Amino acid sequence: MDPIILFFLFGLAAGLLKAELRLPSAIYEFVSMLLLLSIGLKGGVELASQPFLGLVPDILATLALGLVMPLLAFPVLIKLGRFKRADAASIAAHYGSVSVGTYAVAVAWLTTRGIGFDAHLPLLLVILEVPAILVGVLLARGISGDTDWGRVAHEVLLGRGIVLLLGGLLVGWLSDPDALGAIEPLFFDLFKGILAIFLLEMGLIAAARFGSLRQYGLFLVGFGVVMPLIGAVLGTLLGHALGLMPGGVLLMAVLAASASYIAVPAAMRISVPEANPTLSLTASLGITFPFNVLLGIPLYWRLVEALG
Amino acid sequence: MDPIILFFLFGLAAGLLKAELRLPSAIYEFVSMLLLLSIGLKGGVELASQPFLGLVPDILATLALGLVMPLLAFPVLIKLGRFKRADAASIAAHYGSVSVGTYAVAVAWLTTRGIGFDAHLPLLLVILEVPAILVGVLLARGISGDTDWGRVAHEVLLGRGIVLLLGGLLVGWLSDPDALGAIEPLFFDLFKGILAIFLLEMGLIAAARFGSLRQYGLFLVGFGVVMPLIGAVLGTLLGHALGLMPGGVLLMAVLAASASYIAVPAAMRISVPEANPTLSLTASLGITFPFNVLLGIPLYWRLVEALG
Amino acid sequence: MDPIILFFLFGLAAGLLKAELRLPSAIYEFVSMLLLLSIGLKGGVELASQPFLGLVPDILATLALGLVMPLLAFPVLIKLGRFKRADAASIAAHYGSVSVGTYAVAVAWLTTRGIGFDAHLPLLLVILEVPAILVGVLLARGISGDTDWGRVAHEVLLGRGIVLLLGGLLVGWLSDPDALGAIEPLFFDLFKGILAIFLLEMGLIAAARFGSLRQYGLFLVGFGVVMPLIGAVLGTLLGHALGLMPGGVLLMAVLAASASYIAVPAAMRISVPEANPTLSLTASLGITFPFNVLLGIPLYWRLVEALG
Amino acid sequence: MNAQSSHTRKLLTVVTEAALEAVLTRDLERLGASGYTIINARGKGSRGVRDAGWETDANIRIEVVCDEPIARRIAAHLQQRYYDDYAMILLLSDVEVLRPGKF
Amino acid sequence: MNAQSSHTRKLLTVVTEAALEAVLTRDLERLGASGYTIINARGKGSRGVRDAGWETDANIRIEVVCDEPIARRIAAHLQQRYYDDYAMILLLSDVEVLRPGKF
Amino acid sequence: MNAQSSHTRKLLTVVTEAALEAVLTRDLERLGASGYTIINARGKGSRGVRDAGWETDANIRIEVVCDEPIARRIAAHLQQRYYDDYAMILLLSDVEVLRPGKF
Ligand SMILES: Nc1ncnc2c1ncn2[C@@H]1O[C@H](COP(=O)(O)O)[C@@H](O)[C@H]1O
Ligand SMILES: Nc1ncnc2c1ncn2[C@@H]1O[C@H](COP(=O)(O)O)[C@@H](O)[C@H]1O
Ligand SMILES: Nc1ncnc2c1ncn2[C@@H]1O[C@H](COP(=O)(O)O)[C@@H](O)[C@H]1O
Ligand code: NA
Ligand code: NA
Ligand code: NA
């Protein structure tokens, strides 16, 4: 088995056994910062050798995907899940956005197998983070609402995740390629080791969420598995339609299938405070993240090949 | 001289000069976490290519060593040291258990010299951590005592050190060997550098303990030097009897000679709270750790060769 | 462009946009610790192959430079800047001392271009840190003052920066060169990556200082640019006079041009508390550091070549 | 206002979600507080355990020293604006301050 | 319980060894506290300097807001159970709480 | 001094610059405090925002429990010695201590 998956299982097991294990929060922040910068840098380096204009259709299509997914999820959460409007809107926003951790695991999965992917996927990752948040706020508040959109925009666009990804992209893009070699040991050679540490902590966090699962019942569990499957299908279709390489299609499927647990919760807490944050984080961290990492990625690869 | 030993001396000197130097605690935790995972991983990788059953005698013998050593130390501490029962029991438990930091220095010492050792030593390291704690609690409380053994067991078996070592072992054991290459830069290539940082902090910590030495007198200093020597002899004899490779015998001697300063203090604080924690930590950190790192390891190597 | 400069610009931009981005302080401390140790180690390794006595003239000349520079700056700050005596003394001390971060960027700049420099520059770096602090205290207090010089000396000589640089130097010097290979992955291979992270944070810090600039007016901005230029000329002349290699002359110019933002502020806060710390840090972090990193280093290189 | 002068003020202590830090400090200034002190915290209350392991789970503990009318005004504002949607407790007590002009 | 209602409660502050965190929070809940707030601390007292540099040397500072009988019960329990073997101080003071139903 | 005995003492709370930690703890001991508790903090006051992002910008919050004369002596000393040059506030309040012999 792949060691990074084993690190995740190790974290899950340690968490379920209530072992006294926790990454100091400063380390967790640093580790996730390195992952974001690495993903951005790598993308930026490869983008540098591409014409930018060719990317416009992909960018627009990705924006559309980010608008459509929460609109699909919302009525299901209201009708079948019987959630309050604010809760449904918030969960929908989580699933319309993306999880960088899941993306990183998928990149590692492709790299291990030597499968290539398009250079601009990190850019699409950034782009897919944003629209679902706006849709979520709109679904909760309505258009006429007294939302302070300036604050929402600041919260979203200048949050840690997006700034680090975009910053990495730009640095990679503008860097003299020869000079990049000197920073590779930190940002590229250590990538999988850092990812292993990150997944150990994610296992501990996911395990801590299992406790809330019983409380919120079967619907949430079902949603946390079915919604990614729907996302994966949409992502795969879109990826093929855009003519991405097979690895790129997989990453698009993974992006659509994954649910946010950093950018969206932070934005919702400020913009839709009446939504219960435990609900969406339980689904996203307790169900969807483990599902995608352990079962989803290989499954979506079959899908990519089947629909290819 | 070996740079990692120089880092330890640097820490000692800075500490004695009261320089304003301290590793942030989050970094200390991370650094020790990486060492534990690295040791576990390395062991697990090599264990994977061995029949597990052949290890049973070594495991049983190591357990026995962990039971015997505190039983040897306890009467000495009571009779010669005139310590209170709880204090004697607690110190005995520290010396019956092991120090992972000392083990790591010994591994680095062997690696520098190209001396091989048996793959299952990390497993024996984990095993030797535990029994002395139970013996220590028994010595302090008696069998009939009202000890909450469930809590003691949880405290001991699910403490940070053991969980990380065992987790690393399992991940290494179950990993696809080809996939491990990608995490080597973090866990293997950085090992000695990380160990250097760790030893710098250990030097600072040991220096801070020197202050308490005068207070507790000469007996403690003597015990902190003689007990490791006795441990080293027992470890060497056991290692030879089990037919370990010379490097493996040295590591067994070092394990027996070293005294715990993480797992045992934490367990004793909860299970034998009336024992004075300063006493055992002064001996373990202020005397035995520096002794083993600076003088013990090369000495024990001669012993291994002499008794071999 | 060089990626580490881009990381600094990225930090500046994120800071000016008030993005929610900050290195946890434990990480900042660790990163700067690794830089200091790396610089020291590298210097120590190379010093080991040199006769020590030959360095005495360079050491004395550097001490003299550290005494002269604050004496030059002080009257200008009093007369032209109309600062209070304590503030002028404190700012003068900052500019007479050095910035290790700037030095590290200059080393990276030279390395990228394959330009060699003398092995003992890290030693001169340490030496140049100290005298300006003593001059600053004297300028503020006068010789007859009731300064507790023991405390000042302790504060200065046993501060974090100097201890780590000197410790690294000694470890590098005394280490068995063969054994050093094992710690290179952490201390040497990661150097530029770690420097990139450091510069990202420095960009954020510098941006946070821009706010105070308006408050303190144009004189401070001018001083923060002109003083480094004067320093660079003095450093260049001294470097050539001492017969350093071209890279060494550049580093000497950079040392003289840079202003302290760690050791000196800490010492001044305790020894000259009536000096306003915001004033000197605004100049040093908000103007001189960015100026040196973005424009100064290449400029000083031309100077080195012109005066060479 | 000599060195020994001293007066009584109110100490308002708020324990709440870390996510609110930026908005709360803006509110405090607007409502007339001359300063505040913030500390990271963890805890448990009616909204369950908040153990700071995860960003959205961290607490902060804010202290504000001010005169009674301002303290009441801040407390009323926080209660009305945040109590329903956020983990939050509010405590008030008396403190003697050494340089009353400051608060 | 309107927005301005307020009452007095006790604030119990405990400074003790970090190693006790898990057992103490269990004790607190068992003895009737509706919540608690914990902060990492360092300090000095009769058991010497505890500067958090080393795991066994760290302190925590626990605050519990509750009514007087519960505060006394908790204080008595802690004193009887932990005072002899652990670094620990206990302080009690009065605080006004804004939503009394909560505590 | 039985388990229930209790008395009133003063709690002196100081929020000031982290750079002063070493000198202040020496002062406290010299002036008769039997102990102290320190916590890292950030905040805002008359000397602007001190947000702990940068070493010279960090605050600490020191608590000292002692009898009233010592509290007054410490407060007067801090005020005379540090108030003019450093960011610092001083608060005094009453607390009940459970083992009065200790303070
Ligand atoms: N009774 C209490 N005593 C001390 N702190 C409390 C208490 N109740 C709540 N808290 C703190 O206030 C935070 C928010 O409380 P709540 O809104 O009740 O969840 C908790 O996470 C605790 O840190
Ligand atoms: N007089 C005091 N004022 C404030 N805090 C104290 C005092 N005495 C003790 N402490 C705190 O309580 C902890 C335990 O105290 P002790 O049991 O006296 O060692 C110390 O480490 C300090 O953090
Ligand atoms: N009104 C206040 N309420 C609470 N804390 C304050 C207040 N004023 C100042 N502080 C704290 O005391 C520190 C120093 O205050 P100052 O000397 O006024 O800058 C500030 O950084 C805050 O942490
Ligand atoms: Na998604
Ligand atoms: Na042992
Ligand atoms: Na300079």
Side-chain angles (χ1 to χ4, degrees):
Chain A
M1 244 174 132
D2 194 318
I4 62 171
I5 301 299
L6 288 167
F7 268 97
F8 182 66
L9 290 172
F10 167 22
L12 272 182
L16 292 175
L17 290 167
K18 305 214 173 307
E20 185 221 307
L21 189 60
R22 206 68 205 257
L23 215 57
S25 65
I27 301 300
Y28 175 80
E29 266 188 57
F30 184 48
V31 155
S32 61
M33 181 177 174
L34 286 178
L35 291 182
L36 289 160
L37 285 173
S38 299
I39 291 173
L41 276 172
K42 190 120 213 166
V45 174
E46 316 222 341
L47 268 184
S49 50
Q50 292 211 345
F52 189 77
L53 266 189
L55 303 177
V56 173
D58 293 19
I59 291 175
L60 292 178
T62 304
L63 278 175
L65 180 65
L67 294 170
V68 165
M69 290 200 31
L71 292 174
L72 279 179
F74 183 68
V76 175
L77 289 158
I78 292 272
K79 295 276 164 55
L80 294 183
R82 308 199 158 279
F83 287 112
K84 285 189 302 182
R85 181 173 173 144
D87 288 329
S90 169
I91 301 177
H94 282 69
Y95 280 82
S97 184
V98 301
S99 145
V100 179
T102 314
Y103 176 86
V105 176
V107 166
W109 193 91
L110 290 173
T111 315
T112 305
R113 282 159 189 76
I115 304 168
F117 58 89
D118 315 74
H120 60 298
L121 260 297
L123 183 65
L124 302 185
L125 159 61
V126 176
I127 286 164
L128 197 49
E129 280 213 71
V130 177
I133 300 180
L134 308 180
V135 174
V137 177
L138 276 175
L139 287 172
R141 293 260 167 284
I143 295 184
S144 58
D146 59 346
T147 308
D148 177 348
W149 287 102
R151 208 169 100 200
V152 174
H154 185 277
E155 190 74 26
V156 171
L157 297 177
L158 293 171
R160 253 176 116 253
I162 290 192
V163 167
L164 286 169
L165 277 170
L166 272 184
L169 267 173
L170 286 172
V171 170
W173 199 17
L174 300 172
S175 277
D176 178 0
D178 299 338
L180 269 168
I183 63 169
E184 280 183 10
L186 180 61
F187 292 107
F188 298 165
D189 300 352
L190 293 188
F191 181 74
K192 264 193 110 174
I194 295 286
L195 184 57
I197 299 287
F198 175 81
L199 286 171
L200 172 55
E201 174 72 4
M202 289 303 292
L204 293 165
I205 290 170
R209 291 279 159 194
F210 287 172
S212 332
L213 273 183
R214 220 176 359 225
Q215 197 180 334
Y216 294 115
L218 225 62
F219 176 80
L220 205 62
V221 179
F223 182 83
V225 170
V226 174
M227 188 68 204
L229 294 175
I230 296 172
V233 172
L234 290 179
T236 305
L237 294 173
L238 185 66
H240 280 311
L242 294 173
L244 301 180
M245 299 160 61
V249 179
L250 178 78
L251 291 180
M252 188 57 109
V254 165
L255 286 177
S258 71
S260 170
Y261 47 82
I262 297 183
V264 181
M268 288 295 132
R269 202 73 202 98
I270 295 294
S271 314
V272 189
E274 68 273 29
N276 178 354
T278 314
L279 222 51
S280 37
L281 280 173
T282 298
S284 160
L285 284 172
I287 305 165
T288 303
F289 185 84
F291 174 74
N292 277 331
V293 165
L294 298 177
L295 305 175
I297 295 173
L299 195 71
Y300 307 155
W301 179 244
R302 294 215 195 152
L303 196 69
V304 170
E305 293 187 316
L307 301 183
Chain B
M1 244 175 130
D2 193 319
I4 62 171
I5 302 298
L6 288 167
F7 268 98
F8 182 66
L9 290 172
F10 168 22
L12 272 181
L16 292 175
L17 290 168
K18 305 215 173 305
E20 185 222 308
L21 189 60
R22 207 67 206 258
L23 215 57
S25 66
I27 302 299
Y28 175 80
E29 266 189 56
F30 184 48
V31 155
S32 61
M33 181 177 174
L34 285 178
L35 291 181
L36 289 160
L37 285 173
S38 298
I39 292 173
L41 276 172
K42 190 120 211 167
V45 174
E46 317 222 339
L47 268 184
S49 51
Q50 291 211 346
F52 188 76
L53 267 186
L55 303 177
V56 174
D58 293 18
I59 291 175
L60 293 177
T62 304
L63 278 174
L65 180 66
L67 293 170
V68 166
M69 290 202 28
L71 292 173
L72 278 178
F74 183 68
V76 175
L77 289 158
I78 291 273
K79 295 276 163 53
L80 294 183
R82 307 198 159 281
F83 287 112
K84 284 189 303 182
R85 181 174 174 144
D87 287 329
S90 170
I91 302 176
H94 282 71
Y95 281 83
S97 185
V98 301
S99 144
V100 178
T102 315
Y103 176 88
V105 177
V107 166
W109 193 92
L110 291 172
T111 314
T112 305
R113 283 155 189 77
I115 305 169
F117 57 90
D118 314 75
H120 60 298
L121 260 298
L123 183 64
L124 302 184
L125 159 61
V126 176
I127 285 164
L128 197 50
E129 280 213 69
V130 178
I133 300 179
L134 308 180
V135 174
V137 177
L138 276 174
L139 286 172
R141 292 261 167 284
I143 296 184
S144 57
D146 58 347
T147 310
D148 178 349
W149 287 102
R151 209 170 98 199
V152 174
H154 185 278
E155 191 74 26
V156 172
L157 297 176
L158 293 172
R160 252 175 118 254
I162 291 193
V163 167
L164 286 169
L165 277 171
L166 272 185
L169 267 174
L170 286 172
V171 170
W173 199 16
L174 299 173
S175 277
D176 178 1
D178 298 338
L180 270 168
I183 63 170
E184 279 182 10
L186 179 62
F187 292 107
F188 297 163
D189 299 351
L190 293 187
F191 181 75
K192 265 193 109 174
I194 294 286
L195 184 57
I197 299 287
F198 175 81
L199 286 171
L200 172 55
E201 173 72 6
M202 289 304 293
L204 292 165
I205 290 171
R209 292 278 158 195
F210 286 173
S212 332
L213 273 184
R214 219 177 0 226
Q215 195 180 338
Y216 295 115
L218 226 62
F219 176 81
L220 205 63
V221 178
F223 182 83
V225 171
V226 174
M227 189 66 204
L229 294 174
I230 296 173
V233 172
L234 290 180
T236 305
L237 293 174
L238 185 67
H240 280 311
L242 293 174
L244 301 180
M245 299 160 62
V249 179
L250 177 77
L251 291 180
M252 188 58 109
V254 165
L255 286 178
S258 71
S260 171
Y261 48 81
I262 298 182
V264 181
M268 288 294 131
R269 202 72 202 99
I270 294 293
S271 313
V272 189
E274 68 273 28
N276 178 354
T278 314
L279 223 51
S280 36
L281 279 174
T282 299
S284 160
L285 284 173
I287 307 164
T288 303
F289 185 84
F291 174 74
N292 278 330
V293 164
L294 298 177
L295 304 175
I297 294 173
L299 195 71
Y300 308 155
W301 179 245
R302 294 214 196 154
L303 194 71
V304 170
E305 293 187 315
L307 300 183
Chain C
M1 241 174 136
D2 194 319
I4 63 171
I5 301 300
L6 288 167
F7 268 96
F8 182 66
L9 290 172
F10 168 21
L12 273 181
L16 291 175
L17 290 168
K18 303 213 174 306
E20 185 222 308
L21 189 59
R22 206 67 205 257
L23 216 55
S25 66
I27 301 300
Y28 175 80
E29 267 189 56
F30 184 49
V31 156
S32 61
M33 180 177 175
L34 285 178
L35 292 182
L36 290 160
L37 285 173
S38 299
I39 291 172
L41 277 171
K42 190 120 213 167
V45 173
E46 317 222 341
L47 268 185
S49 51
Q50 292 210 346
F52 188 77
L53 266 187
L55 303 177
V56 173
D58 293 18
I59 291 176
L60 292 177
T62 304
L63 278 174
L65 181 66
L67 294 170
V68 166
M69 291 201 29
L71 292 173
L72 279 179
F74 183 69
V76 175
L77 289 158
I78 291 273
K79 296 274 165 52
L80 294 183
R82 308 198 159 281
F83 287 111
K84 285 189 302 183
R85 181 176 174 141
D87 287 330
S90 169
I91 301 176
H94 283 70
Y95 280 83
S97 185
V98 301
S99 144
V100 179
T102 315
Y103 176 87
V105 176
V107 167
W109 193 90
L110 291 172
T111 314
T112 304
R113 282 156 190 77
I115 304 170
F117 56 90
D118 314 75
H120 60 298
L121 259 299
L123 183 64
L124 301 184
L125 159 61
V126 176
I127 285 165
L128 197 50
E129 280 214 69
V130 177
I133 300 179
L134 307 179
V135 174
V137 176
L138 276 175
L139 286 172
R141 292 260 168 284
I143 295 184
S144 57
D146 58 347
T147 309
D148 177 347
W149 286 103
R151 207 169 101 199
V152 175
H154 185 278
E155 191 73 28
V156 171
L157 297 175
L158 292 171
R160 252 175 118 254
I162 291 193
V163 167
L164 285 168
L165 276 171
L166 273 185
L169 266 174
L170 286 172
V171 170
W173 200 15
L174 299 173
S175 277
D176 179 1
D178 298 340
L180 270 168
I183 63 169
E184 281 182 10
L186 180 61
F187 292 106
F188 298 163
D189 299 353
L190 293 188
F191 181 75
K192 263 192 110 174
I194 295 286
L195 183 57
I197 298 288
F198 175 81
L199 286 171
L200 172 54
E201 175 72 6
M202 289 303 293
L204 293 165
I205 290 171
R209 292 279 157 193
F210 286 172
S212 332
L213 273 183
R214 218 175 2 222
Q215 196 180 337
Y216 294 116
L218 225 62
F219 176 81
L220 205 63
V221 179
F223 182 83
V225 170
V226 174
M227 188 66 205
L229 293 175
I230 297 172
V233 172
L234 290 180
T236 305
L237 293 173
L238 184 67
H240 280 310
L242 294 173
L244 300 180
M245 300 160 61
V249 179
L250 177 78
L251 291 181
M252 188 59 108
V254 165
L255 286 177
S258 71
S260 170
Y261 48 81
I262 297 183
V264 181
M268 287 296 131
R269 204 72 201 97
I270 295 295
S271 312
V272 188
E274 68 273 28
N276 178 355
T278 313
L279 224 49
S280 38
L281 280 174
T282 298
S284 159
L285 284 172
I287 306 164
T288 304
F289 185 85
F291 174 74
N292 278 331
V293 164
L294 297 178
L295 304 175
I297 295 174
L299 195 71
Y300 307 155
W301 179 244
R302 295 215 195 152
L303 195 69
V304 171
E305 293 187 315
L307 301 183
Chain D
M1 224 186 301
N2 75 334
Q4 287 306 326
S5 75
S6 73
H7 285 87
T8 296
R9 290 285 180 283
K10 281 288 172 190
L11 170 64
L12 172 68
T13 305
V14 187
V15 182
T16 190
E17 307 188 9
L20 285 180
E21 180 160 338
V23 288
L24 284 188
T25 53
R26 244 174 290 144
D27 288 357
L28 292 178
E29 287 180 57
R30 195 168 38 76
L31 294 168
S34 69
Y36 50 80
T37 298
I38 302 183
I39 291 169
N40 296 327
R42 55 193 178 279
K44 182 168 175 173
S46 58
R47 288 184 188 251
V49 176
R50 302 183 51 77
D51 69 353
W54 186 249
E55 282 157 352
T56 47
D57 273 1
N59 278 346
I60 52 174
R61 181 182 180 280
I62 311 181
E63 287 176 316
V64 185
V65 181
C66 52
D67 60 24
E68 174 141 12
I70 293 184
R72 299 260 164 230
R73 203 188 317 154
I74 296 174
H77 169 77
L78 298 185
Q79 208 168 350
Q80 181 254 313
R81 180 76 185 274
Y82 302 105
Y83 243 50
D84 291 339
D85 292 332
Y86 294 93
M88 177 180 283
I89 64 168
L90 290 172
L91 309 176
L92 271 174
S93 60
D94 293 320
V95 285
E96 183 185 327
V97 298
L98 275 286
R99 270 200 322 196
K102 210 168 169 175
F103 304 96
Chain E
M1 222 187 300
N2 75 333
Q4 286 308 327
S5 73
S6 75
H7 285 88
T8 297
R9 291 284 181 282
K10 281 287 172 190
L11 170 64
L12 173 68
T13 305
V14 187
V15 182
T16 191
E17 307 187 9
L20 286 180
E21 179 161 338
V23 288
L24 284 187
T25 53
R26 244 173 289 143
D27 288 358
L28 291 178
E29 287 180 57
R30 197 169 36 77
L31 294 168
S34 69
Y36 50 80
T37 297
I38 302 183
I39 291 168
N40 295 328
R42 53 192 178 279
K44 181 169 176 172
S46 57
R47 289 183 187 251
V49 176
R50 302 183 51 76
D51 69 351
W54 187 249
E55 281 157 354
T56 47
D57 273 3
N59 278 346
I60 50 175
R61 180 180 181 282
I62 311 181
E63 287 176 315
V64 185
V65 181
C66 51
D67 59 24
E68 174 141 13
I70 293 184
R72 299 258 166 230
R73 204 187 316 156
I74 295 174
H77 170 76
L78 298 185
Q79 210 168 349
Q80 180 254 314
R81 179 74 185 273
Y82 301 106
Y83 244 50
D84 291 338
D85 293 331
Y86 294 93
M88 177 180 282
I89 64 167
L90 290 172
L91 309 175
L92 271 174
S93 60
D94 292 319
V95 285
E96 182 185 329
V97 297
L98 275 285
R99 271 201 320 195
K102 208 168 170 177
F103 303 96
Chain F
M1 222 186 302
N2 74 335
Q4 287 308 324
S5 75
S6 73
H7 285 89
T8 297
R9 291 283 181 283
K10 281 287 173 192
L11 170 64
L12 173 68
T13 305
V14 187
V15 182
T16 190
E17 307 188 8
L20 286 180
E21 179 161 338
V23 288
L24 284 187
T25 55
R26 245 175 289 144
D27 287 357
L28 291 179
E29 287 180 57
R30 195 169 39 77
L31 294 168
S34 69
Y36 50 81
T37 297
I38 302 182
I39 290 169
N40 296 327
R42 55 191 176 280
K44 181 168 176 172
S46 57
R47 287 182 189 252
V49 175
R50 303 184 49 77
D51 69 352
W54 186 251
E55 281 157 352
T56 47
D57 272 3
N59 278 345
I60 51 173
R61 181 182 180 280
I62 311 181
E63 286 176 316
V64 185
V65 181
C66 52
D67 60 25
E68 174 141 12
I70 293 184
R72 299 256 166 234
R73 203 187 316 156
I74 295 174
H77 169 77
L78 298 186
Q79 208 168 351
Q80 180 255 312
R81 180 75 185 274
Y82 301 106
Y83 244 51
D84 290 340
D85 292 332
Y86 294 93
M88 177 180 283
I89 64 168
L90 291 172
L91 310 176
L92 271 174
S93 61
D94 292 319
V95 284
E96 183 185 328
V97 298
L98 274 287
R99 272 200 321 195
K102 209 168 169 176
F103 303 97

